[in-house]
Amino acid sequence: MADYSSYKKVNGDQLVSNSLNSASFSDSPNQSYGVKWFYGTICRCSPGCCCNWTVPTGVQNMWIQAWGAGGNGSGACSCNRCHHFLGSQGGDYNSKMITTTAGNNYSVCAAGVYPCLSRECTGCQGCSSYVNGSNLSNFCAIGGCRGMANTSWSTNCSSLNPCCRAPGNNGGDFGIGNHGGAWSASRYDTYRGWCHCFQHAHSPTSAPLIGTTVYQSLRSCWIRCGCWIVPYGHGGQNGTTTYCGSGHCGQGGTGGGGLVKITYF
């Protein structure tokens, strides 16, 4: 019985230089494998990216990964009192492995962000990224929770940790939630009553598996808006202040847009 050792082998030293190219093979080894990313521009009013994608020739399987957009930050919603600030949440992650056929069409949408900069006590929930098509049912990655501001210093504040996602959640095989940003810890100046607080420190969270970091802090500042652009999937920044008085209410920033990654083979 023949085995591998009896097969005819080609010694590389016997090949004439530049004698082989893609035309020498029946199919390119990479013809039916690839990775496609979908995403919008990085800006605080990003519309995201929604389009129709056609499965290439030779492809039979797809691994879809999606990240929702981050929630928007809140404003400094009261002009006559110190605040606690809750960082907004990064978007969720969801994934799905499916069989498919070359020529199938899929509607793919990497989430955009709300074009609003909140001055209210709560921002806006992040938008969802999704993919629709053959062998998919309600598949999406939901957006992150919105940032908040709280002027009640007698209320105990806690953070949220909705990390667990059961199989099948939002149409996926495997998903990861996200830890909500913790409430800021700060102190107030008793000499100035409730009108001067200082040493704020809090952070919105990133989307799972992306690994970005945004951190907010201030010691003494009339007003700081959440104006900076955050990375994809990340929670937006809150507008913060350590003083009160007319004209010192800030606005929060928008979260980072969503992402979709399709690996096909």
Side-chain angles (χ1 to χ4, degrees), residues 53-73:
W53 183 73
T54 302
V55 178
T57 301
V59 173
Q60 300 180 12
N61 301 278
M62 291 168 51
W63 181 31
I64 305 168
Q65 297 173 275
W67 292 262
N72 285 9

Side-chain angles (χ1 to χ4, degrees), residues 12-23:
D13 294 337
Q14 297 173 334
L15 297 176
V16 178
S17 180
N18 298 321
S19 63
L20 296 178
N21 53 44
S22 60

Side-chain angles (χ1 to χ4, degrees), residues 140-153:
C140 70
I142 62 176
C145 296
R146 55 196 181 181
M148 299 179 66
N150 183 348
T151 60
S152 177
W153 285 76

